[in-house]
Amino acid sequence: MKYFFLFLSTFAFAQQTKSVDFKYVNGQISINPNNKSIAGAITYCFEVLKPIDTIKIDAQNMTFSEVELNEKKIPFTTNGKELILIYPFQKGKNSVQFTYEAKPKQTMYFVGSEETDNLQIWTQGQGKYTSHWFPSFDDVNEKVIFNMDIVFDSKYQVVSNGILKNKVENNGVIYWSYQMKKPMSSYLLMIAIGKYDRGTQKAKSGIPLEMYINPKDIAKQEPTYRYSKEIFDFLEKEIGVKYPWEIYRQVPVSEFLYAGMENTSTTLFTTRYVVDNIGFEDRSYTNVNAHELAHQWFGDLITAQSGKDHWLQEGFATYYALLAEKEIYGEDYFYSKLYESSMQLKQASKTDTIPVLNAKASSLSFYKKGAWALHVLREGIGEKAFRKAVKNYLKKYAYKNVTTQNFFEEIKKVSNYDLENFSKVWLESSAFNSEIANGLLAKNKAMQVQLEVAKLRNKPLADKYAFFEKTLESDVYFTVKASIVGQLMKEKFEDKKQLLLLALQTQNIQVRQAVASTLQKIPEEFRTDYETLLDDKSYQTQEFALYYLWNSFENKRAEYLAKTKDWVGFNDFNLRILWLSLAISTPEYSANKETVLQELINYSSTNYEATTRQNALEYLINFDVINEAVLKNLVNATTHHMWQFSKFGRENIRILLKNPEIRTTFQTILPSLNEKEQFQLNRLLKE
């Protein structure tokens, strides 16, 4: 018996896909937000290709009952990671039914609450994590047609993959029935639940486009989703293959782990990109929008067989997003982004020794070097041949899994391009070939100037002053002018004053923002000019300007605070949090300090999203405004599902614990914390 279970545990899933082909699944699930649990009844239909005595379905920490094969009970077991079906399976079609319960520790996230009227439930399964909430397949090569019936409170919208085939309300709950027609990898399965309004458009090809928004953000719907239809129409035309699903949805969710995620037919993205017209200038969703949509072809329609070929998803999505933005913002924008990524890759290659064709490659390599590789290839074989190869590649491997070699085979059919050398340079080497990159960048006139500016980086200002002056006065693309301002950062003010004035006079938001961010100590003679930045239509510029003016001119602090007292900023309250921090630290300002302090501390509490909380905690700690409430909020951060925020909490507690008085305060609040918080703080106290 021990030997038998050892055999089961070491049985490679890759072998299973050769013996069993799962076709589709019908899932009927209900979610309980109070105890954060999920229960469901599942039916999988599959075909046994050759006899096998064990079939496994990935299922993390789930309990099962009523397991039946073709409506007859069969033996099964679980090992905490899989549902293991034990039976002499013979060739032919079968169905397996079972019920399950789970309390997902990850992948399904419960944010907010019904009591505070901000409950959201959403999933993030990329990689192999869907099996934490739905019995499925961690192997991306097992593609299944998913049909989901979800039961939930009628006050909420429920979104899943595919077409909404039916929606029935009964006794305060709604039964939502979503259906897919084509197969996909399990990591692309999703659910999003929340209170949403919905905007709708229709693509040129007739595909319905649904764009969700929190009712409180309805005024931000247009700037948030600006260019969505244009992006969709462009990508369908550019790729040359019709959008592969029946509908496309986009849903912003609170506390999301990443910028966005391309679940099949439905992208989830962070509320950070829910912006008004001013916020759009600094934090546009356009690139993420285009990137996640491109994944519907590159990643969802065709999926890389293994991590080694991950660039076939991220490199393609990154490159096609740039092509879409080129259509919207123009050629100069396109080349400026390529230049920006070339500089990042050149710098990273000094320490990053892992090439693109490696499962352990960095995100920068998969995304941006992958995109550069495609640009080199497209330029090398010509746009027409490239489009033809991509179209053939997508059609040939639709709803299947692919390797880099599969893509190369389609390139070979349209061109005799030297793919062996191309692969060595761009995919198998960790170096970044700046010579080739700069040659392609130089096709654009603005980048010709940009490359000249870059060459002057280490030259004395006197040697490049005339060129900088001429360039700032020209109509060259704004990123070139911003890079000139960046080079001036360490120069003496009197030497660069006129150039900074020219930069301000461009009236370009981004160039002026470069001045705002690089001139951290402002001379009195430049104060009046710098103060004009407070009126720029940019929340980022205003944040820089307010802080540096407050820091530079102590006698005018109260005046700056009075001018900006109604500022709010992005939806993470960046300007409001800065204002509160400065008001607390300005004795001569007449605001009620206790009221101001309580508002700032509240922004660091669980009433707000992690980005808002971290921003508030940073200011509270940096301005040395620390009390029990602040420390409790900091400890709570260590329990958050966003690793960046929990890491921030741990790192700052470690620093604060070096102060004996604060260590004593942490020990004092320990009994009042919940179990998770106590566990985290105890660990840190014992380090």
Side-chain angles (χ1 to χ4, degrees):
M1 198 59 152
K2 285 182 180 177
Y3 172 79
F4 179 69
F5 278 105
L6 179 63
F7 172 75
L8 285 182
S9 65
T10 56
F11 190 88
F13 190 88
Q15 290 176 271
Q16 178 170 303
T17 57
K18 295 175 183 176
S19 303
V20 184
D21 181 16
F22 280 83
K23 299 292 187 181
Y24 67 88
V25 58
N26 293 327
Q28 298 173 321
I29 65 170
S30 60
I31 302 168
N32 185 332
N34 297 318
N35 63 8
K36 300 180 180 179
S37 67
I38 185 167
I42 309 295
T43 299
Y44 269 106
C45 292
F46 62 96
E47 184 176 357
V48 177
L49 306 175
K50 56 185 179 181
I52 188 172
D53 57 12
T54 307
I55 292 176
K56 295 190 282 188
I57 298 173
D58 294 304
Q60 306 284 339
N61 303 308
M62 295 179 181
T63 57
F64 294 90
S65 58
E66 302 178 39
V67 180
E68 296 183 348
L69 177 70
N70 303 323
E71 301 182 355
K72 292 181 181 178
K73 288 189 176 181
I74 61 166
F76 74 94
T77 186
T78 60
N79 58 11
K81 294 183 177 180
E82 299 151 320
L83 169 62
I84 304 168
L85 308 175
I86 307 162
Y87 190 80
F89 295 96
Q90 300 301 310
K91 286 179 71 173
K93 295 180 179 179
N94 298 270
S95 67
V96 61
Q97 301 86 28
F98 53 84
T99 59
Y100 80 101
E101 293 182 359
K103 279 193 172 184
K105 293 181 180 178
Q106 63 179 82
T107 312
M108 177 174 278
Y109 297 94
F110 297 78
V111 177
S113 68
E114 292 180 277
E115 292 73 28
T116 51
D117 197 34
N118 64 344
L119 174 68
Q120 286 188 0
I121 303 168
W122 47 263
T123 59
Q124 169 56 23
Q126 183 159 28
K128 52 182 181 180
Y129 301 117
T130 293
S131 58
H132 282 265
W133 70 272
F134 191 88
S136 50
F137 304 98
D138 293 347
D139 185 347
V140 299
N141 295 283
E142 182 64 271
K143 293 201 170 193
V144 181
I145 297 172
F146 285 89
N147 299 312
M148 299 290 288
D149 291 349
I150 304 149
V151 183
F152 204 76
D153 188 324
S154 60
K155 295 193 292 289
Y156 294 84
Q157 291 280 334
V158 174
V159 178
S160 192
N161 312 79
I163 290 289
L164 178 62
K165 297 296 286 188
N166 204 13
K167 178 184 170 186
V168 179
E169 186 170 355
N170 186 25
N171 291 328
V173 299
I174 291 179
Y175 295 76
W176 304 76
S177 293
Y178 283 92
Q179 290 185 12
M180 294 286 296
K181 285 188 177 179
K182 297 291 185 179
M184 66 184 189
S185 300
S186 295
Y187 79 90
L188 297 166
L189 182 66
M190 60 73 63
I191 289 177
I193 298 172
K195 291 186 176 178
Y196 290 104
D197 285 341
R198 184 183 66 196
T200 58
Q201 290 183 294
K202 190 164 277 192
K204 279 184 180 178
S205 60
I207 296 293
L209 310 176
E210 294 185 353
M211 290 154 276
Y212 290 73
I213 200 86
N214 189 307
K216 70 178 176 61
D217 293 321
I218 195 67
K220 298 177 180 177
Q221 172 119 19
E222 189 283 323
T224 297
Y225 288 111
R226 190 172 293 166
Y227 304 125
S228 287
K229 182 182 180 301
E230 290 89 336
I231 291 167
F232 192 98
D233 291 338
F234 170 80
L235 286 178
E236 273 204 317
K237 182 180 177 183
E238 174 65 30
I239 293 169
V241 175
K242 185 172 164 47
Y243 175 76
W245 320 103
E246 294 178 274
I247 193 168
Y248 185 56
R249 301 184 185 88
Q250 296 178 85
V251 187
V253 294
S254 299
E255 312 276 23
F256 199 54
L257 296 164
Y258 308 107
M261 174 62 200
E262 70 280 6
N263 310 288
T264 308
S265 77
T266 305
T267 285
L268 299 185
F269 66 99
T270 173
T271 49
R272 172 180 169 82
Y273 291 112
V274 175
V275 295
D276 58 17
N277 280 315
I278 296 175
F280 182 85
E281 294 298 328
D282 293 312
R283 199 181 283 180
S284 159
Y285 172 54
T286 309
N287 181 263
V288 176
N289 188 339
H291 181 101
E292 305 308 336
L293 177 56
H295 269 311
Q296 298 295 326
W297 287 268
F298 306 104
D300 297 9
L301 174 61
I302 56 170
T303 309
Q305 278 186 20
S306 68
K308 176 187 175 186
D309 295 303
H310 192 50
W311 82 282
L312 293 174
Q313 293 173 196
E314 298 303 349
F316 272 82
T318 302
Y319 188 56
Y320 276 87
L322 271 182
L323 291 174
E325 288 189 294
K326 180 183 177 184
E327 180 74 5
I328 295 165
Y329 299 124
E331 188 176 282
D332 286 348
Y333 176 94
F334 173 76
Y335 278 98
S336 73
K337 288 297 178 182
L338 282 174
Y339 172 77
E340 182 184 298
S341 64
S342 75
M343 298 304 290
Q344 292 171 328
L345 289 162
K346 182 180 177 182
Q347 183 64 30
S349 68
K350 295 175 182 177
T351 53
D352 187 347
T353 59
I354 302 174
V356 172
L357 277 185
N358 188 309
K360 295 182 179 179
S362 67
S363 292
L364 186 65
S365 293
F366 281 137
Y367 286 65
K368 296 191 176 181
K369 193 170 183 184
W372 254 106
L374 290 171
H375 185 60
V376 170
L377 187 58
R378 191 172 189 253
E379 291 289 308
I381 71 173
E383 288 183 18
K384 188 176 179 181
F386 185 82
R387 284 196 186 102
K388 186 176 181 181
V390 169
K391 183 176 180 179
N392 292 341
Y393 164 67
L394 287 169
K395 289 195 167 184
K396 183 174 181 178
Y397 297 103
Y399 312 106
K400 297 176 184 175
N401 295 80
V402 289
T403 65
T404 299
Q405 200 54 44
N406 295 147
F407 175 55
F408 280 2
E409 285 166 7
E410 299 310 310
I411 296 292
K412 288 175 184 176
K413 292 175 184 176
V414 299
S415 169
N416 59 1
Y417 190 74
D418 187 352
L419 287 171
E420 186 177 341
N421 183 61
F422 165 80
S423 184
K424 283 179 181 176
V425 174
W426 293 99
L427 305 179
E428 299 168 49
S429 167
S430 62
F432 182 75
N433 194 311
S434 293
E435 187 179 348
I436 292 174
N438 289 348
L440 292 175
L441 288 168
K443 287 188 170 187
N444 174 261
K445 288 183 179 180
M447 289 306 102
Q448 291 172 12
V449 183
Q450 179 70 78
L451 292 168
E452 287 300 313
V453 170
K455 287 177 186 175
L456 298 172
R457 178 166 296 280
N458 297 317
K459 297 277 187 182
L461 181 57
D463 293 351
K464 55 190 178 183
Y465 190 96
F467 177 66
F468 279 6
E469 184 177 44
K470 180 183 175 183
T471 304
L472 287 170
E473 289 175 333
S474 74
D475 60 358
V476 73
Y477 197 58
F478 73 83
T479 56
V480 181
K481 297 178 182 182
S483 69
I484 288 175
V485 175
Q487 281 196 27
L488 299 176
M489 191 168 183
K490 294 179 181 178
E491 303 290 346
K492 292 179 181 177
F493 177 74
E494 56 268 24
D495 294 337
K496 64 183 177 182
K497 178 183 176 182
Q498 292 306 315
L499 293 175
L500 292 178
L501 285 170
L502 282 175
L504 290 180
Q505 288 164 13
T506 64
Q507 296 305 313
N508 177 276
I509 284 176
Q510 287 84 1
V511 177
R512 288 171 60 84
Q513 188 174 106
V515 176
S517 63
T518 56
L519 192 65
Q520 298 175 9
K521 195 65 180 173
I522 307 156
E524 172 60 37
E525 62 183 291
F526 198 64
R527 177 177 58 77
T528 304
D529 294 295
Y530 191 94
E531 284 173 347
T532 64
L533 292 163
L534 291 171
D535 297 317
D536 276 23
K537 300 297 183 185
S538 160
Y539 297 138
Q540 193 67 64
T541 300
Q542 290 177 325
E543 184 175 357
F544 288 135
L546 174 57
Y547 180 74
Y548 292 138
L549 283 166
W550 181 90
N551 201 39
S552 298
F553 303 106
E554 193 171 337
N555 63 326
K556 294 184 72 66
R557 287 177 174 178
E559 181 183 324
Y560 294 137
L561 290 170
K563 176 181 173 67
T564 60
K565 62 183 173 62
D566 297 323
W567 282 7
V568 175
F570 298 111
N571 61 4
D572 58 11
F573 305 95
N574 69 311
L575 294 180
R576 184 61 183 167
I577 288 170
L578 172 61
W579 187 91
L580 292 166
S581 304
L582 299 180
I584 290 168
S585 304
T586 307
E588 62 272 25
Y589 189 64
S590 60
N592 183 317
K593 292 294 194 287
E594 187 58 34
T595 302
V596 169
L597 177 60
Q598 287 309 310
E599 185 182 348
L600 180 57
I601 292 173
N602 187 37
Y603 282 122
S604 75
S605 74
T606 55
N607 294 328
Y608 293 91
E609 290 194 47
T611 50
T612 300
R613 296 175 62 192
Q614 182 168 327
N615 194 17
L617 284 165
E618 283 177 341
Y619 278 117
L620 286 162
I621 293 167
N622 289 338
F623 282 92
D624 202 25
V625 184
I626 298 170
N627 59 22
E628 285 192 13
V630 173
L631 296 181
K632 283 182 178 180
N633 290 339
L634 188 59
V635 173
N636 179 269
T638 66
T639 69
H640 200 277
H641 66 259
M642 291 178 69
W643 69 266
Q644 302 95 326
F645 188 41
S646 60
K647 181 184 178 186
F648 164 85
R650 289 192 302 274
E651 288 178 346
N652 278 277
I653 289 172
R654 286 189 182 103
I655 294 167
L656 292 172
L657 283 173
K658 293 175 182 177
N659 181 317
E661 288 183 22
I662 295 179
R663 175 176 279 271
T664 301
T665 307
F666 272 122
Q667 291 168 331
T668 302
I669 66 173
L670 187 62
S672 65
L673 303 177
N674 65 38
E675 189 178 344
K676 284 184 179 179
E677 292 167 343
Q678 286 184 358
F679 175 77
Q680 293 292 343
L681 182 54
N682 264 319
R683 276 203 320 182
L684 293 163
L685 284 166
K686 291 173 183 175
E687 284 183 356

